[in-house]
Amino acid sequence: KILVTGALGQIGSELVMKLREIYGTDQVIATDIRKAEGRIAEGPFEVVDVTDADQLFDVTKKYQVDTMMHLAALLSAKAEENPKLAWHINMGGLVNALEIARELKLQFFTPSSIGAFGPSTPKDQTPQDTLQRPTTMYGVNKVSGELLADYYYTRFGVDTRGVRFPGLISYVTLPGGGTTDYAVEMYYEAVKKGSYTSYIGKGTYMDMMYMPDAINAIIQLMEADANKLQHRNAFNISAFSAAPEDFAASIQKYMPSFTLDYAVDPFRQAIADSWPNNLDSTCAIEEWGFKVEYDLDKMTRDMLSKVKQKQEQ
Ligand code: VAH
């Protein structure tokens, strides 16, 4: 059985549905800080505050879980607005989850991010193993999280695995408090208004990925042969690198009248500027066969049709 924390979040809400499709609804216990809503409530759900170790332990024990996918966290912009709270949730929650994984011998997944890199990291084709001096609290949490998860593997033998996610684009659940979320907003505004004003400036390149590819990557990594893994926390993965004008050009292929303009938010622009332009995913490809289905235009076509469907409901 698999327990997912942060199940109502941008990744969790789709990961839970996919896991239930593959392994069966009763095999996947969804947890989040607030009550279940929508289709997630159709299967096992528990309200859990990951900073409460006893609560998380009791739920994990109650369902006799053998795998934990720990997604509960504050994203970059939110974390930068509340750094102390971010440390409490992002690191307090992670160390609780890892301790439970050690005690109950669970397989363990938690994501890192392109946010784990900083201004002194090589920005193009960022290597798997390189300098990581992030300048945001979120980045500090992600680097610490990578090191902590590796520690639980080398010191206690916990089967921890992770990926460094790029910006994730999805239509199921709106992301909360990220920096790459401008790209998600652009699709919603394109459908609603036919235009978008981006808070991230022209020419700001970041790695991006469509959510279905992100979910498949988690499942593929967790099912990979442990003997083939030279790395654990966390694998660089990316689908494509894009800037706001690239998203606009892609949308204009399907909506020629769409227009993009800019009102740069210096706060989130500074976060984006500290991150790489594009990652080298070679290790993920070689060690567990990472691959993507969606390039920018294929994602745009699907996003526009799915967001249109949602807006018509
Ligand atoms: C954020 N979407 O913007 C998240 C992610 C790659 C960035 O960690 O904070």
Side-chain angles (χ1 to χ4, degrees):
K1 286 193 180 169
I2 302 168
L3 183 138
V4 178
T5 70
L8 299 179
Q10 186 196 18
I11 299 172
S13 55
E14 297 198 44
L15 178 61
V16 166
M17 300 319 290
K18 183 79 177 177
L19 291 171
R20 285 177 173 171
E21 197 185 294
I22 297 171
Y23 304 110
T25 298
D26 291 344
Q27 298 301 304
V28 185
I29 294 81
T31 72
D32 205 302
I33 188 90
R34 53 193 166 83
K35 275 184 73 56
E37 58 207 29
R39 294 178 54 205
I40 298 271
E42 289 161 11
F45 184 94
E46 298 277 353
V47 174
V48 169
D49 174 350
V50 293
T51 65
D52 178 339
D54 295 339
Q55 201 185 51
L56 183 55
F57 179 87
D58 292 346
V59 169
T60 308
K61 195 123 172 72
K62 170 182 169 185
Y63 288 91
Q64 290 160 347
V65 158
D66 54 55
T67 301
M68 186 183 290
M69 296 189 179
H70 177 60
L71 303 175
L74 290 190
L75 293 186
S76 58
K78 267 266 193 335
E80 210 50 31
E81 284 158 16
N82 319 278
K84 205 160 169 307
L85 177 64
W87 181 270
H88 175 62
I89 294 172
N90 293 350
M91 302 319 295
L94 178 59
V95 74
N96 288 344
L98 282 166
E99 265 301 289
I100 292 164
R102 180 181 64 76
E103 277 176 65
L104 300 178
K105 302 193 179 349
L106 310 182
Q107 191 188 20
F108 189 84
F109 174 85
T110 200
S112 181
S113 157
I114 57 173
F117 296 115
S120 53
T121 304
K123 282 200 174 299
D124 293 310
Q125 283 308 299
T126 303
Q128 176 65 41
D129 301 304
T130 185
L131 193 55
Q132 293 178 260
R133 307 288 295 178
T135 50
T136 63
M137 172 53 89
Y138 179 73
V140 168
N141 297 159
K142 287 299 167 187
V143 173
S144 312
E146 292 186 8
L147 297 173
L148 200 57
D150 271 353
Y151 175 80
Y152 270 77
Y153 170 65
T154 49
R155 178 76 170 66
F156 301 116
V158 180
D159 182 0
T160 63
R161 306 182 188 193
V163 295
R164 290 174 186 140
F165 275 130
L168 298 180
I169 315 291
S170 65
Y171 61 85
V172 174
T173 304
L174 279 172
T179 297
T180 59
D181 301 337
Y182 81 87
V184 179
E185 291 173 6
M186 197 182 302
Y187 287 103
Y188 278 87
E189 301 282 298
V191 171
K192 208 157 55 183
K193 288 177 19 193
S195 65
Y196 179 65
T197 301
S198 174
Y199 59 79
I200 294 292
K202 187 174 168 54
T204 309
Y205 277 88
M206 291 186 270
D207 278 310
M208 298 283 184
M209 181 182 285
Y210 200 26
M211 187 61 79
D213 282 332
I215 301 300
N216 287 338
I218 295 173
I219 293 166
Q220 203 164 349
L221 172 57
M222 292 302 272
E223 291 188 346
D225 174 359
N227 300 319
K228 293 214 177 69
L229 302 181
Q230 314 292 319
H231 295 83
R232 292 260 169 180
N233 304 279
F235 286 91
N236 285 358
I237 59 169
S238 170
F240 52 85
S241 175
E245 63 271 27
D246 298 314
F247 284 101
S250 182
I251 290 170
Q252 282 158 353
K253 288 180 185 163
Y254 306 94
M255 302 174 72
S257 60
F258 173 74
T259 58
L260 169 70
D261 59 22
Y262 298 91
V264 174
D265 165 15
F267 185 74
R268 284 178 288 184
Q269 184 65 41
I271 295 173
D273 288 343
S274 73
W275 292 351
N277 298 325
N278 53 72
L279 301 187
D280 174 350
S281 310
T282 306
C283 292
I285 296 164
E286 287 177 351
E287 297 176 37
W288 49 276
F290 166 65
K291 66 188 178 322
V292 295
E293 309 287 323
Y294 289 87
D295 62 13
L296 175 54
D297 288 341
K298 188 174 173 188
M299 174 180 78
T300 297
R301 191 169 55 239
D302 197 58
M303 268 299 279
L304 290 176
S305 73
K306 295 289 192 336
V307 169
K308 272 192 193 106
Q309 278 168 26
K310 264 185 94 169
Q311 309 236 338
E312 279 151 14
Q313 277 165 1

